[in-house]
Amino acid sequence: MPVDPLWNSTTAMQLAAQRRPGALIRLGRQHHAWTLAVLADRIGCSPATVSRLERRTGIADLALVHRAARG
């Protein structure tokens, strides 16, 4: 499976190095031009949950993050 060049970008690398998973979720969502509702539907949660995930620096529900990463 080809890797999206976004994840090799300077911005993505910096966010990963800074351990900012919420910002990485937002970056990916915006890259795909998805609304909070679209991503929420794709990963099976509410738009409010996606919004909370994007604002957090630490995320406890890694399964939800994994689903968001796969989009």
Side-chain angles (χ1 to χ4, degrees):
M1 174 185 291
V3 175
D4 190 319
L6 169 69
W7 304 116
N8 289 323
S9 71
T10 302
T11 302
M13 296 293 205
Q14 287 174 342
L15 292 173
Q18 295 168 359
R19 299 183 186 272
R20 295 180 54 202
L24 283 168
I25 293 170
R26 181 179 299 116
L27 180 67
R29 179 178 62 79
Q30 291 173 341
H31 174 71
H32 288 289
W34 293 339
T35 64
L36 291 170
V38 169
L39 179 56
D41 186 54
R42 293 179 66 93
I43 64 175
C45 67
S46 71
T49 299
V50 173
S51 178
R52 281 192 299 274
L53 286 172
E54 289 183 351
R55 289 191 313 261
R56 289 188 179 159
T57 54
I59 296 177
D61 190 348
L62 294 179
L64 190 58
V65 172
H66 185 257
R67 289 196 310 266
R70 291 184 315 182

